[in-house]
Amino acid sequence: MMTITTSNLGFPRLGRKREWKKAIESYWAQRISLDELHEQLNALHKENLLLQKHYHLDSIPVGDFSLYDHVLDTSLLFNIIPERFQGRPVDTDLLFDIARGNKEHVASALIKWFNTNYHYIVPEWDNVEPQVTHNTLLERYEFAQSLNVEAHPVILGPITFVALSKGGTQSFEEKVETLLPLYRQVLTELVEAGASYIQIDEPILVTDDSAKYEAITKRAYDDFAEAGLGDKLVIQTYFERANIEFLNTLPVKGYGLDFVHDNGYNLAQIQSGYLDKEKAIYAGIIDGRNVWTADLEDKKHLIETLLDYTDELVIQPSSSLLHVPVSLDDEQLEEAIVEGLSFATEKLDELDALKRLFNDNDADKFNTLQARYERFNQQDFKNAEYDFDAVRTTRQSPFETRRVAQQEHLQLPDLPTTTIGSFPQSTEVRKQRADWKNQRISDTEYRTFLEQEIARWIRIQEDIGLDVFVHGEFERNDMVEYFGERLQGFLVTKYGWVQSYGSRAVKPPIIYGDVKWTEPITVAETKYAQSLTAHPVKGMLTGPVTILNWSFERVDIPRSRVQDQIALAINEEVLALEEAGIRIIQVDEPALREGLPLRSEYHEDYLQKAVHSFRLATSSVADATQIHTHMCYSQFGQIIHAIRELDADVISIETSRSHGDLIKDFEDITYDLGIGLGVYDIHSPRIPTESEITSAITRALQNIDRSLFWVNPDCGLKTRKEEEVKDALSVLVEAVRHLREDNLEETS
Ligand code: GLN
Ligand code: ZN
């Protein structure tokens, strides 16, 4: 019987209680020195390594731990420094400045890491002088050795690194060629230091256009093999299937493949005989991106199958565990639910259970974990029946009819003005919320505070002269967590943080069971706000697609089912708001576009299901109730048809940072529903001038019917200061007032 070994691709940096974030932010705030920062981070890195060792992994990754982002680490390793930051020593301060910007220079761009909610710092190639500055990876590797940790270095591969970068005049191939000797140097030093293998991450090879990278990939890995590195390299892919027939032509030790998110294609290719038996398979069999205990029985069969096709099988998570929280140990949750959960360390325990089963014929841990898995899946909270067909997915009348019914009582002026929902989350707002959560103030005291804040902002909106008001969302910590805490089927953990970008972490709610609405969530605040003004107040909700995308989703039933369950819950809330007399209801879907699957062959299906859920959530209202939606991005191109199919009466979208793109999208389709293009960038504290706003509006009106056009900022205003908000919105209202006057003159 062949034995198997276990490995890991990456561990969460954050620490059990976000120690990583705290250390880094303390340094930024100058509360600790650089030496103290390094001391604290080394301690955390050590803890991470020893924690993994505890689960008997045969190899533990190093190089995954970072001060900010692993892509940025790679840029620094090879001296790919943005031009504006060049000429300084390559050190920790430079790293933070590139990531965050400083007084003189803007930060490098942040982009979503494939289809995850992690964001990396985009490498910039303009006028760079690539060279190995300092082999930090070697340092980390030696650190692991000093702790007696059996480790393998992890490095982002040259093809993916170049594919994720921008700038420079060289071709893709030239950039890779430039890097090859540098990679060779770093890799050779690691091998000389004793690394038995190096995990070289090339996730770009799972994307739509992976074929176009094949020639240069072959060139790069042939080059490494010539330097004698071939039998030390494992090309690691994840998040989707790879072209195994192609990978097999590369002279390397083995391949890391994702057997969880590949729709079955990786296994099918192996069974078709595309892989030579002497190549090692680093099989990603435990979901690295979700929080559920694995069906170990199922994994056992997968391992048995794979053993027929390789002489060396290593089992590991499907991707880095960067995308899940560290451990369940510190949570206080119901046992019936805990049984179904698995964070980073629990996943490593699952690997250990499988290894014991195969290598030592020891089924104890395997059986215990499998029993837990099975109990969890039989729970009542996971097996409810829903009547999805009983809820409308089409409004009663077409837009043209609805529009008349809505205008009859909304009586909106030419170019109506509004905001996206949130007003500043001031220190006071956050303090009151924390005090209430920690029971330092009573429900009544908290409610009174919220009402005062709402009333104050209703007056501010009156003074500024906006048309459609909002209550301000002061009660919400986060647009998804807030609903997660109030819907059945969601679990909000205490320490379930995952890194989003830099020191910013999010705590996605966990959808562990059937989702149900039990009582009104937003009605009290909205109704109160409406009682203070004659202007319409918009009810503000988060849509089903966004709630699902920003949560840990169930995988025991189809994703679209979960999304529709959430949609039914939101529909109840929509109806409760309507019942309470709210005439405009906004259902935000900022995550709709970013949830697009990695491969385009799945896009249409995703979009159709998103449209279906949104319509399930919003179609039951009367014609006279106006449904809004909001999205904070503007590259609509490929999804604009789906946006139209949402059939929202009004959509507000971000445009100020990429106005040109958006206008172009609108040349290809005539958008014939209400639309508000953000007329200023809320991400900057700068107050826009009237002429900037006016020209943004007039440019948009070249492509959009004036009677459909709304004027609003790009996104919610919660991160801005009160004075900034008042000033910017006053300019916006003033610009609209002048445009209205001009229009009257022209038409009279
Ligand atoms: N209504 C939300 C707000 O204004 C929308 C946030 C978002 O688009 N991400 O804060
Ligand atoms: Zn937004």
Side-chain angles (χ1 to χ4, degrees), residues 420 630-632 714-716:
I420 305 304
H630 163 72
M631 297 174 188
C632 10
D714 261 355
C715 192

Side-chain angles (χ1 to χ4, degrees), residues 420 479 588 590 630-633 652-654 682-683 714-716:
I420 305 304
M479 65 187 293
D588 292 331
H630 163 72
M631 297 174 188
C632 10
Y633 44 80
S652 62
I653 48 186
E654 171 184 318
I682 58 93
H683 299 91
D714 261 355
C715 192

Side-chain angles (χ1 to χ4, degrees), residues 106 420 630 632-634 653-659 677-689 692-694 696-697 699 711-721 724-725 727-729 731-732:
V106 292
I420 305 304
H630 163 72
C632 10
Y633 44 80
S634 54
I653 48 186
E654 171 184 318
T655 52
S656 50
R657 282 184 297 177
S658 45
H659 209 84
L677 304 187
V679 295
Y680 78 87
D681 180 8
I682 58 93
H683 299 91
S684 154
R686 203 180 139 262
I687 308 302
T689 64
E692 280 166 357
I693 292 192
T694 309
I697 299 174
R699 247 187 306 164
V711 179
N712 48 259
D714 261 355
C715 192
L717 298 162
K718 69 174 172 201
T719 54
R720 294 269 63 90
K721 296 209 169 65
E724 292 162 3
V725 168
D727 291 351
L729 291 178
V731 176
L732 179 150

Side-chain angles (χ1 to χ4, degrees), residues 475-616:
E475 72 287 0
R476 304 185 193 177
N477 36 354
D478 172 277
M479 65 187 293
V480 169
E481 189 173 286
Y482 188 74
F483 289 91
E485 281 168 339
R486 286 159 183 80
L487 290 172
Q488 231 175 54
F490 283 80
L491 176 78
V492 176
T493 59
K494 213 156 172 217
Y495 302 107
W497 298 94
V498 292
Q499 190 185 357
S500 169
Y501 63 88
S503 69
R504 201 180 138 77
V506 294
K507 189 152 61 71
I510 296 173
I511 308 176
Y512 70 91
D514 298 314
V515 176
K516 290 209 174 107
W517 179 93
T518 52
E519 56 180 6
I521 298 170
T522 63
V523 173
E525 292 85 10
T526 319
K527 212 171 140 180
Y528 176 71
Q530 185 65 83
S531 75
L532 304 173
T533 177
H535 285 266
V537 172
K538 277 196 280 194
M540 305 298 312
L541 306 176
T542 306
V545 183
T546 298
I547 292 184
L548 182 60
N549 270 328
W550 289 347
S551 298
F552 282 115
E553 72 204 45
R554 283 174 71 173
V555 290
D556 58 327
I557 57 173
R559 186 185 157 86
S560 58
R561 282 269 137 170
V562 185
Q563 194 169 274
D564 283 351
Q565 289 184 5
I566 304 170
L568 290 191
I570 297 300
N571 177 56
E572 300 266 10
E573 185 67 14
V574 164
L575 292 174
L577 284 168
E578 186 182 50
E579 172 80 26
I582 302 304
R583 302 299 201 141
I584 305 185
I585 300 164
Q586 179 171 311
V587 178
D588 292 331
E589 287 291 16
L592 192 141
R593 184 174 181 277
E594 66 171 55
L596 274 176
L598 209 48
R599 285 193 174 252
S600 55
E601 64 196 277
Y602 304 119
H603 285 186
E604 213 33 60
D605 180 60
Y606 166 87
L607 289 171
Q608 268 172 28
K609 286 170 173 155
V611 167
H612 179 82
S613 299
F614 183 87
R615 290 171 65 137
L616 204 50

